[in-house]
Amino acid sequence: MSAVSASQSIAPQTFDIRPFSGAVGAEIIGLDLSRPINDQDFARIHHAHLDHHVVVFRDQRITPEQQIAFSRRFGVLQIHVLKQFLLAGHPEILIVSNIVENGVSVGLGDAGKFWHSDLSYKELPSLGSMLHAQELPSEGGDTLFADMHKAWDGLPDALRKAVEGRSAAHSYTARYSETKFEGNWRPTLTPEQLAQVAEVVHPIVRTHPENGRKALFVSEGFTTRIVGLPEDESKQLLDELYAHSVLPQNIYRHQWQPHDLVFWDNRSLIHLAAGCPSYLRRKLYRTTIQGDAPF
């Protein structure tokens, strides 16, 4: 049986796509990602992701294998440089967690502590990321998303002229060792790991390869400098871009519910982990889909 006919034989699912009332995002209700998804249903999901930039699949009782398989329908998966925090037997999954067992962190405890777009420090940054809730704290733990298309669209003329046609450098180690959340730490990177995250340069304003819209592509987490500008001028300009990017009207704040799977577009958004008390357990599984070279 061909792949096309096999897909056609998969029964459609009944689900709703409900946009959030604020700046960005939608929730998908009634879809079961543990079941096969035919091409028509997948196309609806894909369009919702492009239209709303972040989609929340509610109450997903899926295995790591099922998360990986669904993620792969969007593209090649990227393996995180911190191999010690990858799920055993499933290197495609990064464990995001503040849990410490027998003195050892089970996952990356302070992932997302500064606004960023995942893997913007790679030659081929992420298309999007999926984060599936495993254990949630009773308070805190929210994730914030800022729409970088709206940030570009609303950029004052002076800032727009200052950045058009310019590029910026991105580095994984830009703020790697800075402490933000109590009780979390990051391991020292080996020379081999450092070689995997060498500095890269991308346009400050990128064009989304699927929807054609322009978006700012800088973040306080990974952007280090604007190429060709003096250090003080670069810093001032970047600080203005960062402040403009996270205006309240551009932000969706996700308050996690049990078994949420959140899928966001790293070409359209930056995001931030708000943190939670260190004594409350939090664990999520992340898959990351490779994108294209920004242009």
Side-chain angles (χ1 to χ4, degrees), residues 41-184:
D41 287 347
F42 181 78
R44 281 187 70 199
I45 295 165
H46 184 199
H47 284 300
H49 185 246
L50 292 177
D51 290 344
H52 304 290
H53 313 317
V54 55
V55 288
V56 181
F57 302 87
R58 299 293 189 188
D59 196 29
Q60 297 301 318
R61 314 296 178 106
I62 59 173
T63 65
E65 293 87 352
Q66 289 166 334
Q67 180 178 347
I68 291 167
F70 180 58
S71 303
R72 279 210 172 108
R73 292 193 68 170
F74 292 90
V76 174
L77 300 191
Q78 294 172 297
I79 309 301
H80 199 275
V81 67
L82 294 178
K83 301 291 192 291
Q84 59 268 59
F85 297 142
L86 303 181
L87 184 63
H90 300 290
E92 302 89 347
I93 288 181
L94 173 71
I95 303 171
V96 176
S97 180
N98 65 352
I99 300 170
V100 177
E101 293 178 346
N102 300 317
V104 178
S105 293
V106 305
L108 182 56
D110 58 358
K113 59 185 176 178
F114 299 103
W115 285 102
H116 68 290
S117 172
D118 286 334
L119 278 67
S120 73
Y121 52 85
K122 304 286 279 184
E123 291 286 353
L124 298 177
S126 166
L127 175 157
S129 302
M130 293 189 193
L131 201 56
H132 187 216
Q134 305 294 312
E135 291 186 60
L136 296 175
S138 55
E139 62 179 275
D142 295 353
T143 306
L144 283 68
F145 299 91
D147 187 334
M148 298 297 270
H149 294 302
K150 289 184 175 178
W152 167 251
D153 291 343
L155 202 64
D157 285 344
L159 269 180
R160 186 178 288 240
K161 289 174 183 175
V163 301
E164 277 189 302
R166 289 198 173 274
S167 297
H170 296 242
S171 171
Y172 180 58
T173 58
R175 308 185 74 164
Y176 180 83
S177 60
E178 291 185 41
T179 301
K180 191 161 186 181
F181 300 146
E182 179 190 355
N184 290 312

Side-chain angles (χ1 to χ4, degrees), residues 1-10 39-40:
M1 184 181 293
S2 70
V4 173
S5 58
S7 175
Q8 288 173 342
S9 68
I10 297 171
D39 288 346
Q40 292 75 23

